[in-house]
Amino acid sequence: MSKVDEITRESWIMSTFPEWGTWLNEEIENETVEPGTVAMWWLGCTGMWFKTPGGCNITVDLWCGNGKRSHGNGKMAVGHQMANMCGARDMQPNLRAVPFVIDPFAIKHVDAVLATHYHQDHMSAEYAAHVIQSKITTIDENGKEIPVPFIGPKKSVELWQKWGVPAERCITVVPGDSIKIKDIEIIALDSFDRTCLVTTDSTGPDREELTGKCPMDMDEKAVNYLIKTPGGNIYHSGDSHYSIYFAKHGKDYDVDVAFGSYGENPVGMADKMTSCDILRMAEALDCKVVIPIHYDVWTNFMADVNEIRVLYDMKKDRLDYKFHPFFWEVGGKYVYPTDKDKRAYHHRRGFEDCFEAPQNIPFRSLL
C-alpha cells in the first residue's frame, strides 16, 4: 500500500497533534531549578507551570481546548457571558490562535492543579482526567503522601466534580486562604473579573435574569493567586480587569512578578486589560516585572505588546516607574530572579555547535 493510501484524517491528527508533542514536557521534567530561583513556563492563555528548587510543580489555568471550529448557525448562546454583558447575538469569532505547547497526557508529575475561575479557557477536563487516571501523588506539609489536589474557587470546584474529580481531591479557596505545598505557599486573593460576575449557570433562554440584581459574591466564582516561592512572589491575576484594589494587594504583599490579562477589546466589549491598565496594575502592585498574557490565544482579542512598550517608555521617567514589562512567548521559560532584567523573550535559536564537526560542502566560498 502506498503512503497516500495509508494516510487518513485520523492518522494526520495523531501524527501532528499536539503540535509541540512532548518537547516542553521533557524540558520541564529535565529542568534543574537553582536555589533561590523559580522557573516558569507560559502554556498559552493564562496557563502557567511553576517549578521550584524543592521540586514543587504546580499549574495554574492549564487549558487544553479550543475556540470556534465551525460557523454553525452564526449565533452564540443567548446566555453566554459575552452575550449577557453586551447584548450581542452574533457568534464571536474566537478561534484559537496559538498551538498546544504541552501534552497533558504526557505529564508525569505535578503537585497541584490550580484554577483562577471556571470559564472554559481556564480549566481542562482532559488534564483533570489524566491527573486522576494516572494516580499522581504529592507530599503535604506534614510529609504525608497524598493524591494531587485540585485548588480553586467554589464554581471551579463544582465543575471539577461535575467532570468526576472526587470531592475529597478538591480544595475550595476564598480570598485570604493559604495552602502550603513543598516549598511553595499559595495565597488566594480577590479577583476583579467582572465578566465572571455576568456568567450565568445556564447559557440558554432559561438563563438567570441579572437585571437589577446585586451580583453574587465574586469570591465564589474567581480568585487571584499570590504564589510565594524560593525565587520570589508571583501574582497571577487570572482574567481580572483593572481595579484600584490592586493597590491593596500591593500594600499587603511583596510582589516580584505580576501577570495581567491583556487584549484588544472589540467595540462594545471590555473583557481584557488595556495597555494602560497593565501598567497601572503593575504600578499599583508595586511589582518588579509585569508580564502581559492572554492576548495570544483568541483571534478576536489579539493585541500588540509593542503598545505597552511605547506607553511604558512614554511614562516611565515622568511617573518614576519601579518596574518594567517583559514580553514573553508561549512555550517559553522565564526564571526569576535570573532573568529579571530581560525585556523580551526569544525561543532558543540553536546552531550553537556550528563548525564543531566537519562540514560537507564543495568549497568554503559557498558560504
Side-chain angles (χ1 to χ4, degrees):
M1 182 181 291
S2 70
K3 188 174 184 66
V4 294
D5 289 328
E6 294 175 348
I7 294 175
T8 65
R9 182 175 185 272
E10 288 71 27
S11 69
W12 164 62
I13 292 171
M14 292 301 293
S15 65
T16 58
F17 182 85
E19 293 92 335
W20 280 31
T22 59
W23 178 277
L24 191 59
N25 297 70
E26 296 164 23
E27 179 181 321
I28 294 171
E29 289 169 20
N30 295 330
E31 178 74 13
T32 299
V33 184
E34 296 298 325
T37 71
V38 57
M40 57 199 89
W41 291 263
W42 185 15
L43 307 178
C45 196
T46 66
M48 295 291 158
W49 189 296
F50 299 98
K51 186 173 183 178
T52 68
C56 186
N57 291 268
I58 68 169
T59 61
V60 180
D61 287 3
L62 193 162
W63 164 68
C64 309
N66 45 47
K68 299 298 181 293
R69 293 164 56 86
S70 166
H71 286 271
N73 65 1
K75 302 293 181 183
M76 68 172 128
V78 296
H80 188 278
Q81 60 264 22
M82 301 297 194
N84 289 340
M85 179 175 283
C86 71
R89 292 292 177 266
D90 289 340
M91 181 182 290
Q92 62 161 326
N94 61 319
L95 290 87
R96 184 177 177 124
V98 292
F100 287 86
V101 296
I102 196 164
D103 183 345
F105 290 96
I107 291 172
K108 296 179 181 178
H109 180 75
V110 69
D111 293 285
V113 177
L114 278 68
T116 59
H117 64 294
Y118 66 120
H119 283 163
Q120 64 101 3
D121 53 342
H122 299 264
M123 295 179 63
S124 170
E126 296 80 9
Y127 178 39
H130 171 68
V131 172
I132 296 297
Q133 294 169 8
S134 59
K135 297 181 172 58
I136 303 173
T137 61
T138 184
I139 304 296
D140 68 12
E141 58 184 310
N142 299 314
K144 178 183 177 183
E145 184 177 8
I146 60 170
V148 172
F150 291 73
I151 302 169
K154 178 182 177 183
K155 285 290 186 179
S156 292
V157 166
E158 289 176 351
L159 184 55
W160 276 321
Q161 292 181 13
K162 181 180 178 180
W163 290 339
V165 176
E168 62 269 19
R169 297 284 295 273
C170 298
I171 301 176
T172 301
V173 292
V174 296
D177 286 348
S178 173
I179 298 170
K180 291 184 178 179
I181 301 174
K182 293 185 175 177
D183 54 351
I184 275 181
E185 181 181 5
I186 301 161
I187 300 175
L189 298 173
D190 313 83
S191 169
F192 314 115
D193 183 357
R194 291 184 275 279
T195 307
C196 225
L197 282 180
V198 297
T199 300
T200 50
D201 289 339
S202 171
T203 58
D206 61 337
R207 65 180 184 179
E208 177 188 357
E209 180 56 56
L210 301 176
T211 305
K213 291 186 177 180
C214 183
M216 67 175 290
D217 195 342
M218 173 76 86
D219 298 347
E220 295 184 358
K221 291 191 165 191
V223 295
N224 293 351
Y225 289 112
L226 184 78
I227 302 168
K228 293 185 173 183
T229 79
N233 295 340
I234 316 300
Y235 186 95
H236 196 301
S237 65
D239 264 1
S240 287
H241 300 78
Y242 181 75
S243 170
I244 62 171
Y245 207 77
F246 279 130
K248 173 62 172 170
H249 291 172
K251 287 181 177 293
D252 289 346
Y253 302 97
D254 290 329
V255 178
D256 292 295
V257 179
F259 298 111
S261 285
Y262 169 57
E264 190 68 64
N265 293 299
V267 173
M269 179 52 57
D271 189 54
K272 302 289 179 285
M273 281 192 273
T274 66
S275 54
C276 184
D277 292 333
I278 291 292
L279 298 181
R280 293 183 70 201
M281 179 193 76
E283 184 180 27
L285 289 172
D286 194 23
C287 65
K288 313 295 191 304
V289 180
V290 63
I291 304 178
I293 54 175
H294 210 324
Y295 64 89
D296 62 299
V297 69
W298 296 131
T299 53
N300 60 330
F301 278 90
M302 293 179 74
D304 189 344
V305 293
N306 283 311
E307 182 179 322
I308 299 174
R309 189 196 314 273
V310 169
L311 195 59
Y312 174 81
D313 288 340
M314 184 188 303
K315 302 174 73 170
K316 64 179 180 179
D317 296 324
R318 186 171 184 177
L319 297 184
D320 194 25
Y321 284 157
K322 305 300 183 185
F323 66 90
H324 66 262
F326 174 72
F327 303 117
W328 217 355
E329 296 288 344
V330 174
K333 179 181 72 174
Y334 181 75
V335 179
Y336 192 86
T338 307
D339 298 332
K340 65 181 177 63
D341 295 324
K342 292 186 177 181
R343 300 301 178 98
Y345 179 86
H346 197 294
H347 292 294
R348 180 184 160 209
R349 300 176 71 192
F351 301 99
E352 296 90 351
D353 61 343
C354 61
F355 301 112
E356 293 180 8
Q359 299 163 261
N360 182 22
I361 57 175
F363 36 80
R364 290 181 185 173
S365 58
L366 182 72
L367 304 178

